[in-house]
Amino acid sequence: GDCAAPVAIACYMAASVGMVVANKRAVGSLHAGTVLLAVQQLFTCAAVLAMSFFRVVALEGSWPDALRWSPTGVLSGLVLWAGMQAVKRASLATLTVVRNASPLF
């Protein structure tokens, strides 16, 4: 209906803010951003495999395909690691401004 777009935008905003605040608090309390990132990535892999096992999602491709695309996964992990380092060192206000201004560039 008419309110689908505003609801979707509000949900995205809430999830985005919640993720940044949760990551900032987690990195601040654990003092181990790399470990937190590894746990998040392992949980994501386990969730995808579980959903595949229960036929919620279908995984396509083969092991050679996975190996061929693995450098992309490593580079994505490095981007996430750099972001986690920013979360660790920057203030919440700075993170919010940079995150919201990044689509402008």
Side-chain angles (χ1 to χ4, degrees):
D2 291 336
C3 68
V7 169
I9 291 168
C11 288
Y12 172 80
M13 289 170 54
S16 178
V17 168
M19 183 180 64
V20 170
V21 171
N23 278 336
K24 182 70 175 171
R25 293 190 71 187
V27 167
S29 64
L30 290 177
H31 303 293
T34 305
V35 173
L36 178 63
L37 178 62
V39 168
Q40 288 176 342
Q41 287 185 321
L42 288 173
F43 177 80
T44 301
C45 290
V48 169
L49 289 174
M51 288 189 295
S52 173
F53 179 77
F54 291 111
R55 308 268 193 256
V56 176
V57 297
L59 296 180
E60 297 179 10
S62 62
W63 283 109
D65 287 339
L67 288 175
R68 184 178 44 170
W69 284 96
S70 63
T72 304
V74 171
L75 291 173
S76 296
L78 288 173
V79 168
L80 292 173
W81 177 80
M84 193 62 73
Q85 297 306 306
V87 166
K88 186 187 333 183
R89 291 174 171 78
S91 70
L92 197 54
T94 302
L95 290 171
T96 302
V97 168
V98 169
R99 183 177 174 102
N100 291 327
S102 62
L104 300 175
F105 303 103

